[in-house]
Amino acid sequence: MRKVQKIGLIGAGQMAEYHVRGFLEGGAEVAAVADMNLEKGNAFAAQWGFPGCAYRDLSSMFAAHHELDAVSIITPNKFHYPLVMEALKLGLHVFCEKPPALNSEEMRKMAETAEKTGKTLMFNLNNRARMDALHIKELIGAGKIGRINSAQATWQRRTGIPCFGGWFTTKAIAGGGPLIDLLHMIDLALWFMDYPEPEYVLAQTFNDFISNPEFQGAWGKTVSLNGTTDVESACHGFVRFKSGQVLTLHNSWAELVKEEDTYVALQGTETGVRIRSINNNNTCELYSQKKGVSNDRELRFKNDDDMGRTRMPENFVRALNGETAPLSRPDEAVKLMQLIDAVYLSASSGKPVQIQNNGCIRPLN
């Protein structure tokens, strides 16, 4: 099998550097970049050692670089679906930023196309590649946690609206607010639970502070104080799975909480777990009860300060080359987006939502 050697980037924004570092760690070469802002693309290409190889779009980049094996998509959410589809049809493997798509219908079509073309499609659900997350996944596989009865997935912020008044806060481009933007902990909890089939979802969104510039955050500069802000500022929800397991979720950009907190907690029949990331410092706590003794352990994982953002693209390259298993799969991404769709539908309808066997979602009467 010929090893994957050359990768092109689509988007030269803030996350692109992590992708490049990861691809290089995996043994691949980044050969070109496409960005609508050609000046920005040229500066990025020069910085990373492939000067003169910047283009405005995927088609012109591929026309000049037929040797590309794969592309990495680092664009606003609205463009994930059309770019993934274009790349797959060109015969390229694809690594795409989160969220996978604006909705589950787009994600289902991408998964079908990846299967039809025989190309690998992975998404940057980078928290799976954290050292603490990989350790917990290993313990789960070894039976050390037992059956996971319940989980809590939280990413809460007090003042964390990104790029205020820009595409992040515009539903037509982003697909939603913190629920879809900060879906990492939801995905992580589902991954630990082996992605059980959801049955019912009950959720509520809130938009109290979404138009208040006092709640904007440090992630991305303010675009416009008078820009569009038609997404939620917070979301709370509850999921019951067909297996009887349950998940509580809480995502917010702007909410009156003490501080930003990012964690997944698991209640297993053998061991409880809480993994947490604050200021890129990851901690993992394990709880067990034996013979009347409470046994609590805290594990700290050093040198893992980018929340898996480098290790995930590295995994993409190594998976393509048969060196390891991929850390994300399209079928999981379909289920994730079905759940996101169900949460939004429950919030907008004010009713519990049922997810049927065929993936259709409907409010209960």
Side-chain angles (χ1 to χ4, degrees):
M1 179 178 70
R2 187 180 76 85
K3 287 204 169 190
V4 169
Q5 296 177 343
K6 295 194 176 183
I7 298 177
L9 303 180
I10 307 174
Q14 194 166 1
M15 296 301 296
E17 179 176 336
Y18 293 109
H19 289 226
V20 173
R21 292 186 187 279
F23 295 145
L24 295 178
E25 285 290 328
E29 173 190 350
V30 178
V33 62
D35 196 292
M36 293 179 65
N37 184 336
L38 191 56
E39 182 180 355
K40 184 178 180 180
N42 275 316
F44 189 90
Q47 176 187 355
W48 287 98
F50 47 96
C53 297
Y55 308 88
R56 291 191 182 277
D57 52 40
L58 170 57
S59 60
S60 56
M61 180 173 70
F62 186 70
H65 294 272
H66 281 296
E67 77 277 12
L68 291 179
D69 300 296
V71 292
S72 180
I73 297 172
I74 318 157
T75 66
N77 306 347
K78 175 183 177 180
F79 305 106
H80 290 182
Y81 169 71
L83 286 171
V84 167
M85 295 293 279
E86 181 181 356
L88 290 173
K89 290 174 182 178
L90 286 173
L92 297 166
H93 302 289
V94 180
F95 183 75
C96 181
E97 261 300 330
K98 62 80 190 171
L102 294 184
N103 53 61
S104 60
E105 179 62 18
E106 288 184 349
M107 184 56 240
R108 183 186 61 78
K109 291 178 181 177
M110 288 192 289
E112 290 175 350
T113 303
E115 183 175 7
K116 185 182 300 183
T117 58
K119 296 300 174 182
T120 294
L121 172 60
M122 279 182 59
F123 297 96
N124 194 22
L125 298 166
N126 53 273
N127 282 265
R128 296 187 184 193
R130 286 164 40 177
M131 293 173 67
D132 55 352
L134 292 169
H135 180 70
I136 293 302
K137 188 68 171 176
E138 184 178 334
L139 292 180
I140 292 169
K144 301 294 185 181
I145 307 302
R147 170 188 161 88
I148 300 172
N149 287 329
S150 52
Q152 296 79 47
T154 293
W155 194 325
Q156 65 179 34
R157 291 177 181 168
R158 184 166 178 166
T159 53
I161 301 174
C163 299
F164 192 91
W167 73 262
F168 270 100
T169 60
T170 303
K171 186 175 182 179
I173 303 175
L179 173 65
I180 196 169
D181 177 47
L182 304 178
L183 50 65
H184 288 288
M185 296 302 107
I186 298 171
D187 168 72
L188 199 55
L190 294 171
W191 188 55
F192 288 149
M193 301 169 84
D194 201 23
Y195 260 84
E197 294 290 336
E199 187 170 19
Y200 298 106
V201 174
L202 180 63
Q204 184 61 51
T205 56
F206 302 91
N207 62 359
D208 301 82
F209 308 117
I210 194 63
S211 299
N212 187 341
E214 290 187 12
F215 288 86
Q216 60 186 307
W219 186 267
K221 297 179 181 179
T222 297
V223 176
S224 172
L225 293 177
N226 299 312
T228 302
T229 52
D230 62 351
V231 298
E232 79 279 2
S233 56
C235 178
H236 295 252
F238 182 82
V239 184
R240 184 189 186 279
F241 300 94
K242 295 175 183 178
S243 59
Q245 297 162 286
V246 296
L247 169 67
T248 304
L249 59 93
H250 173 197
N251 282 18
S252 62
W253 284 338
E255 200 171 32
L256 294 177
V257 295
K258 182 178 180 181
E259 60 188 355
E260 180 164 0
D261 203 359
T262 308
Y263 68 87
V264 169
L266 309 172
Q267 291 77 50
T269 54
E270 297 294 328
T271 306
V273 176
R274 181 182 174 97
I275 67 169
R276 192 180 189 193
S277 178
I278 298 180
N279 298 323
N280 293 328
N281 180 27
N282 300 339
T283 62
C284 174
E285 297 176 342
L286 304 175
Y287 318 117
S288 62
Q289 193 75 15
K290 300 292 184 184
K291 298 181 179 179
V293 177
S294 297
N295 183 10
D296 299 346
R297 291 188 293 150
E298 181 177 354
L299 308 176
R300 291 188 177 273
F301 295 82
K302 304 294 185 181
N303 303 319
D304 193 26
D305 58 359
D306 69 359
M307 298 181 77
R309 293 188 182 104
T310 301
R311 197 173 289 112
M312 198 70 174
E314 178 186 353
N315 172 263
F316 172 69
V317 175
R318 296 194 184 283
L320 288 177
N321 291 331
E323 299 171 15
T324 189
L327 279 173
S328 79
R329 304 194 314 265
D331 62 306
E332 294 171 335
V334 171
K335 293 179 181 179
L336 176 61
M337 293 312 303
Q338 285 174 344
L339 183 59
I340 297 298
D341 286 352
V343 170
Y344 278 130
L345 181 58
S346 176
S348 63
S349 67
K351 297 179 179 180
V353 164
Q354 183 179 35
I355 301 180
Q356 300 175 320
N357 290 334
N358 59 2
C360 292
I361 58 176
R362 65 177 183 86
L364 297 178
N365 294 327

